[in-house]
Amino acid sequence: MGSVAERSKALDLGSSLSGGVGLVSVLMVFVWLGENQVSPLRPICDLRVLDHFVREARDSEVIMRGCRGGCGVMKSYFVPLTSVDFAVWEHTDVHGQAVEVQTGLSLLDQALNNAMKTVSNSPLASALENNISNIHSLGQILHSLDLQQARSTVLPDDSVPASAQTQEVSSLPELLQVQSSFLRGKVRLLLSAAPACQRQNS
Amino acid sequence: MRNDRLKIVFVLCLAFVSTGGQHLESKVVQLLQDEAEDIKCFVEGKDLTCFWEEEEERNNLHDQYTFTYSYENKKKMACVVSSLSLLASNKTVFFCKLPKTPFFTTLVVQVYRDAQMLYSRSLNAENFLFLDPPRNLTVTNSGKEGQLNVSWLPPPLKYMDDSLIYEVRYAMEGSNMGKVEVIKVSTMLVLLGLQSDTRYKVWVRVKPDGVAYKGYWSAWTEPVFGVTQPGDMDPLIVVLVLFIGLILCLLSLTVILSHHKFLLKKLWPDIPTPEHKFPGLFTVYKGDFKEWMSQNNGSIWGRSVHVYAEELPSPLEVLSEVSLTGHATSQREERKPVEEEEEKESERSDSRLTDRWREPPHAHWLMEQLRALQDNPESLSQSSLLQSHDTYVTLNQGDNERQDDDVFEETVPLQTLFTTAGTSSLSTSRSDLGSLQQSSGSGRLSSQSSFEYPNHTWPPKGPGYAYMAVADSGVSMDYSPMSSSRIAELGKHRMYTNDYKNDIFPHKWPLSGQHIKSGSGSCTGTVW
């Protein structure tokens, strides 16, 4: 009498266990896939995209120069270092360069967002908005080139640590100049030397 | 040993400096002209070089220049100042080469002289690239007409290959007018639209494109020559030209053949012969004119005469004199038809010929008249009323008594050509022809016939005679009545000869002269 019930109980247990294992295995497969995600993006190696962003950063500087009223307040921003010593740069490996670029882009993103809050001049505001979206696109490009080593972390305001890799600027024009120099310098050098693109060319 | 090493290093340094100095000098010279800033800077390779001119007032070599630079708010750094003497312009510049030039950041450079700041400038190094010219410029024939392939290598740079633009200048050899093509990134170009079989010079220079890097145009490369292919004649054009030429030939041939007779007559005219006017003269009578004349009776001549437009007949009819009282002589037999008067209104100069050729029909009749006159010489002095409007010529038998040198000034220029068998009575004058001046009241003279009448007089015919002066201009006739007194007056003037202007007649003069030698008479024309 008990055997039938026991048997059915055992069967139920067995089936549920197997179901569970299956689910778990499937889940594990998914997790594994998620972790070892292959980049779906094709590497964007055309530097003309970056040149487009550089031109738009320069346009912001021009608008800033001609801005009369509502052009932001004097405020300190933490921005990346832009200077490139070719001798030093060439000795830095790609990953190190990528980290520098990534950190710098996030710093710029933050600074521009902060600046936009103080700008009421509409052409300038739209230009700044353009720059911010360009920086996001650059992140995507780096991602496509498999250079996004560290995920961009949105740091809370006013809590950016002053590191050796940052500098402080005190006005919006200076900020825009830093953005321009950064894009033309480090970002460009990194993209032009990206291994993903080198593999394509060779 | 250490000294030797030092020496080697020094020599190498000198060599390096000299070669580098050459490049430096050329760039310095160019920037001296182009750049307006006090401190002129350019990037050569990866290093920034800044220079400034020596102030003219101070030639003191002991002047101490100090060059400092700083970036990113760091402390100032010093740079070693060197001097360079420019050979061309005999100037001296001081320059400094930054050892490790930071790019993509704002540099602040300053020049101090004796602890006093002289110049200051802030700049980004990546904006002042002064590149070397492109290398290995080659110009080759592309194989097509009017094209040349141009290719070169960029200056040796890292990271900048894709941000350079080039300018290609090309011109025909010997010409200074060149065209310029700008090309981005790519290091080759095909020149189009060139003349075939021509030598071209090509130059190239380079500059950063201005997006990531900016700078000055480099110097032009040395010119390289290339020759375009010789042009082929487009086969289509050749075929069309031949085809059109063929069509034109056929057309011209057709035209020539259809009008060949006309063209032949124009280009190779027949030598005119008078044969057709004298039918049978040369064929039957073998040129014997007398024979032919006697046979033909001149009937054809009469016809042919009318053909000549110039030779309009001015018929001359000799009548016996008629008296004004109305005694008409029976000797007057013929009246000239009106048409002859009209014919007289044409060029009188040709009258001689006409008269001559007209002679045969009236020859016999005239002979009769002359004989009659001969018999009745006194009838000449009588005048009679002429009853027609024609021009009549009265033949003066030329009495010997009348030797006055009277000249009848205005008369009809008619020539009398008569063959006279009996010339005894007509031997008064030996002149060949009567020459009468032809003049018109209006002074129009288109043709004249001349008569020679040195000894002739025009006898005033008496009061009964009415003379009408006829002025013949060759086109029209002016008739004006003349009184006899006027005639007498005129008759006192000497006659004179006038040259005959018609070309047809000169050669006929001898003939007519011979013809008339035997006798002639003075002629007066009267018209009623």
Side-chain angles (χ1 to χ4, degrees):
Chain A
M1 257 176 305
S3 63
V4 173
E6 284 175 8
R7 224 179 288 143
S8 63
K9 272 187 192 173
L11 273 171
D12 287 341
L13 195 67
S15 62
S16 62
L17 272 172
S18 63
V21 166
L23 271 172
V24 167
S25 60
V26 166
L27 278 170
M28 280 182 70
V29 165
F30 275 126
V31 167
W32 179 80
L33 281 172
E35 280 183 357
N36 293 342
Q37 209 173 35
V38 178
S39 169
L41 298 168
R42 283 179 60 204
I44 300 167
C45 291
D46 193 350
L47 285 171
R48 286 179 291 182
V49 177
L50 177 61
D51 289 346
H52 179 83
F53 298 156
V54 166
R55 286 198 182 99
E56 288 191 333
R58 198 181 301 160
D59 291 345
S60 297
E61 281 184 271
V62 171
I63 293 168
M64 184 73 227
R65 273 197 286 268
C67 176
R68 306 277 177 265
C71 312
V73 296
M74 295 291 282
K75 197 178 172 184
S76 73
Y77 306 99
F78 284 102
V79 289
L81 293 171
T82 57
S83 64
V84 173
D85 188 346
F86 284 104
V88 172
W89 183 264
E90 280 163 20
H91 281 102
T92 315
D93 68 338
V94 174
H95 296 289
Q97 293 171 358
V99 167
E100 266 193 73
V101 166
Q102 197 77 24
T103 320
L105 284 175
S106 62
L107 279 170
L108 281 171
D109 185 28
Q110 208 169 22
L112 284 169
N113 273 308
N114 287 340
M116 254 190 75
K117 292 172 192 171
T118 66
V119 168
S120 57
N121 185 294
S122 61
L124 183 61
S126 65
L128 289 174
E129 206 172 325
N130 215 6
N131 294 142
I132 290 164
S133 78
N134 290 346
I135 287 170
H136 291 162
S137 305
L138 274 172
Q140 291 295 316
I141 291 171
L142 287 172
H143 188 68
S144 74
L145 297 173
D146 211 12
L147 293 170
Q148 201 162 9
Q149 298 297 320
R151 295 202 181 274
S152 59
T153 53
V154 179
L155 297 166
D157 297 339
D158 304 328
S159 63
V160 177
S163 65
Q165 301 251 349
T166 62
Q167 61 175 326
E168 195 177 340
V169 293
S170 55
S171 67
L172 186 52
E174 283 177 76
L175 168 61
L176 293 174
Q177 197 180 23
V178 163
Q179 182 199 204
S180 201
S181 299
F182 190 69
L183 292 175
R184 287 158 72 195
K186 288 182 178 176
V187 177
R188 200 168 202 281
L189 288 167
L190 176 65
L191 290 179
S192 61
C197 297
Q198 303 299 320
R199 260 181 271 132
Q200 270 192 348
N201 293 339
S202 62
Chain B
M1 206 163 152
R2 203 178 156 195
N3 283 341
D4 292 339
R5 273 190 204 165
L6 278 172
K7 279 180 191 171
I8 291 164
V9 168
F10 183 70
V11 165
L12 283 171
C13 279
L14 267 179
F16 175 73
V17 165
S18 63
T19 51
Q22 199 175 36
H23 287 289
L24 179 69
E25 182 168 346
S26 61
K27 289 182 180 176
V28 161
V29 163
Q30 184 170 339
L31 277 180
L32 270 176
Q33 300 170 354
D34 299 342
E35 187 63 68
E37 297 271 351
D38 294 320
I39 304 176
K40 304 176 210 300
C41 298
F42 62 92
V43 169
E44 197 181 14
K46 289 288 189 322
D47 302 316
L48 179 73
T49 306
C50 289
F51 65 93
W52 60 98
E53 271 182 87
E54 187 189 26
E55 282 187 321
E56 289 177 11
E57 293 143 8
R58 293 174 175 258
N59 249 338
N60 202 344
L61 291 170
H62 294 290
D63 275 355
Q64 285 289 328
Y65 285 105
T66 316
F67 187 89
T68 63
Y69 67 97
S70 68
Y71 60 97
E72 285 177 343
N73 298 324
K74 291 179 184 172
K75 66 172 185 180
K76 291 181 186 178
M77 283 165 274
C79 171
V80 177
V81 176
S82 320
S83 70
L84 177 71
S85 301
L86 300 173
L87 301 167
S89 53
N90 211 15
K91 285 182 193 174
T92 309
V93 295
F94 296 97
F95 68 95
C96 178
K97 206 166 182 181
L98 270 62
K100 282 192 282 188
T101 311
F103 280 70
F104 304 106
T105 184
T106 307
L107 292 169
V108 177
V109 293
Q110 287 163 338
V111 174
Y112 289 86
R113 191 184 65 225
D114 295 333
Q116 195 181 14
M117 193 170 85
L118 199 61
Y119 307 121
S120 178
R121 190 179 174 187
S122 69
L123 59 117
N124 274 37
E126 72 275 7
N127 295 337
F128 295 93
L129 299 191
F130 199 147
L131 303 169
D132 291 331
R135 304 167 291 150
N136 284 19
L137 176 62
T138 51
V139 179
T140 56
N141 211 322
S142 70
K144 287 185 189 175
E145 202 182 327
Q147 286 185 14
L148 280 177
N149 280 349
V150 183
S151 67
W152 60 91
L153 288 179
L157 284 173
K158 265 187 184 177
Y159 313 116
M160 291 179 206
D161 288 6
D162 50 356
S163 51
L164 299 172
I165 58 169
Y166 303 93
E167 215 177 53
V168 177
R169 181 161 72 108
Y170 58 99
M172 281 194 278
E173 191 183 22
S175 158
N176 281 333
M177 298 290 293
K179 285 189 189 173
V180 164
E181 294 269 348
V182 176
I183 179 160
K184 289 187 182 176
V185 183
S186 172
T187 59
M188 59 179 292
L189 178 68
V190 178
L191 295 173
L192 302 170
L194 304 174
Q195 282 186 20
S196 49
D197 205 17
T198 324
R199 222 161 118 88
Y200 279 91
K201 277 193 291 190
V202 183
W203 300 262
V204 183
R205 64 178 181 179
V206 66
K207 192 177 93 150
D209 65 354
V211 178
Y213 300 97
K214 298 179 194 174
Y216 304 102
W217 277 112
S218 73
W220 289 106
T221 55
E222 291 296 316
V224 174
F225 292 89
V227 185
T228 47
Q229 257 197 343
D232 301 331
M233 280 290 279
D234 198 1
L236 180 66
I237 290 171
V238 170
V239 165
L240 281 172
V241 165
L242 283 173
F243 192 62
I244 288 166
L246 193 69
I247 288 171
L248 284 173
C249 280
L250 284 171
L251 275 172
S252 58
L253 207 66
T254 315
V255 165
I256 288 169
L257 285 173
S258 61
H259 294 101
H260 80 279
K261 280 189 184 155
F262 172 74
L263 287 171
L264 207 63
K265 212 195 263 184
K266 283 289 172 189
L267 295 173
W268 198 264
D270 295 331
I271 299 169
T273 60
E275 272 193 43
H276 63 287
K277 293 293 177 192
F278 307 100
L281 170 62
F282 293 102
T283 53
V284 178
Y285 297 100
K286 308 274 189 294
D288 190 349
F289 193 68
K290 269 192 177 170
E291 280 278 333
W292 182 83
M293 278 278 286
S294 59
Q295 291 300 321
N296 271 357
N297 233 0
S299 56
I300 300 160
W301 288 29
R303 258 203 325 271
S304 64
V305 163
H306 289 286
V307 173
Y308 296 109
E310 320 90 72
E311 296 180 4
L312 288 172
S314 308
L316 177 70
E317 183 178 334
V318 178
L319 299 172
S320 61
E321 283 186 351
V322 293
S323 63
L324 280 168
T325 53
H327 289 168
T329 60
S330 58
Q331 289 152 344
R332 192 189 62 189
E333 288 181 12
E334 203 172 313
R335 299 283 173 92
K336 291 283 185 276
V338 179
E339 65 172 340
E340 289 176 347
E341 181 187 327
E342 290 168 1
E343 287 163 359
K344 278 181 197 173
E345 292 182 6
S346 65
E347 284 187 28
R348 293 304 177 125
S349 55
D350 301 328
S351 62
R352 244 166 269 150
L353 177 65
T354 312
D355 289 336
R356 179 172 169 68
W357 301 130
R358 280 191 135 235
E359 183 192 356
H362 309 292
H364 298 296
W365 176 81
L366 286 167
M367 293 289 285
E368 301 274 336
Q369 292 294 313
L370 286 169
R371 281 195 205 101
L373 284 169
Q374 194 178 347
D375 297 334
N376 304 314
E378 61 276 9
S379 66
L380 285 173
S381 58
Q382 294 175 5
S383 59
S384 64
L385 187 68
L386 297 172
Q387 292 175 8
S388 85
H389 292 283
D390 303 323
T391 304
Y392 294 94
V393 176
T394 60
L395 187 67
N396 191 351
Q397 290 300 309
D399 297 338
N400 281 332
E401 307 97 62
R402 298 189 179 129
Q403 296 292 329
D404 301 342
D405 287 348
D406 288 342
V407 172
F408 189 62
E409 198 173 312
E410 291 188 53
T411 57
V412 175
L414 295 173
Q415 180 183 1
T416 59
L417 299 169
F418 299 107
T419 55
T420 54
T423 59
S424 58
S425 60
L426 300 173
S427 59
T428 48
S429 75
R430 305 295 299 169
S431 65
D432 291 341
L433 290 161
S435 55
L436 302 164
Q437 182 197 13
Q438 178 189 356
S439 65
S440 62
S442 59
R444 287 171 291 146
L445 292 171
S446 63
S447 66
Q448 297 173 357
S449 59
S450 56
F451 287 77
E452 289 175 15
Y453 277 106
N455 298 324
H456 269 255
T457 61
W458 292 107
K461 300 292 182 184
Y465 249 89
Y467 287 88
M468 189 164 277
V470 177
D472 178 15
S473 66
V475 177
S476 65
M477 299 276 288
D478 283 340
Y479 297 100
S480 55
M482 290 173 66
S483 63
S484 54
S485 57
R486 181 160 152 76
I487 291 163
E489 192 186 296
L490 290 171
K492 287 179 188 129
H493 295 91
R494 182 177 286 278
M495 244 189 224
Y496 54 93
T497 59
N498 288 321
D499 287 338
Y500 195 70
K501 284 190 181 162
N502 192 315
D503 285 340
I504 296 173
F505 282 95
H507 69 279
K508 298 228 192 290
W509 276 95
L511 288 171
S512 57
Q514 284 163 15
H515 226 67
I516 212 72
K517 260 197 179 99
S518 54
S520 64
S522 61
C523 306
T524 61
T526 58
V527 174
W528 294 83

